[in-house]
Amino acid sequence: MADRSDANLNDPNLGRTNLSGAGLAGADLSRVNLFKTDLSGADLSGADLSGADLSQANLVGASLAGADLSRADLSRANLRGANLSGADLTETILDGAHYDKSTLLGDALKS
């Protein structure tokens, strides 16, 4: 996958897309539909995903370090092995999200 770092990808519908391994560090994906999108192994560090629909997305092994996930929907997303350290999870929906001991949360879930 091509490096899309710092890209503005405000296409409102990227749902069910294969973006596995994508370089999306710092990208603007705010309010984008990423429903059931494969983002496994993607670099989303520092990306703006505020208000995005990531429900049922595959984020296995993805880097979301320092990403803005405020008001994003991550319900039933697979976060196993993902790095969310330093991510903003203010008002993020995590109902039914899957994560395990390999998921790096850092202070992300501390209030």
Side-chain angles (χ1 to χ4, degrees), residues 8-12 27-33 48-52 68:
N8 182 337
L9 300 172
N10 281 128
D11 180 336
D28 183 356
L29 293 160
S30 56
R31 297 174 304 281
V32 172
N33 175 12
D48 182 356
L49 291 153
S50 58
D68 183 356

Side-chain angles (χ1 to χ4, degrees), residues 2-107:
D3 184 352
R4 305 266 186 220
S5 297
D6 298 316
N8 182 337
L9 300 172
N10 281 128
D11 180 336
N13 189 5
L14 293 173
R16 299 179 190 261
T17 304
N18 182 355
L19 296 173
S20 61
L24 297 165
D28 183 356
L29 293 160
S30 56
R31 297 174 304 281
V32 172
N33 175 12
L34 294 162
F35 170 75
K36 284 194 173 182
T37 296
D38 184 356
L39 290 157
S40 57
D43 182 3
L44 293 155
S45 54
D48 182 356
L49 291 153
S50 58
D53 181 0
L54 288 151
S55 57
Q56 298 184 45
N58 180 3
L59 292 156
V60 171
S63 176
L64 295 149
D68 183 356
L69 291 161
S70 59
R71 297 173 310 284
D73 183 355
L74 286 155
S75 56
R76 298 179 57 203
N78 189 345
L79 298 166
R80 291 180 178 99
N83 180 355
L84 289 113
S85 48
D88 181 354
L89 296 176
T90 305
E91 297 181 35
T92 300
I93 301 167
L94 291 164
D95 296 336
H98 306 281
Y99 53 93
D100 59 21
K101 64 181 178 182
S102 67
T103 305
L104 299 176
L105 297 172
D107 293 334

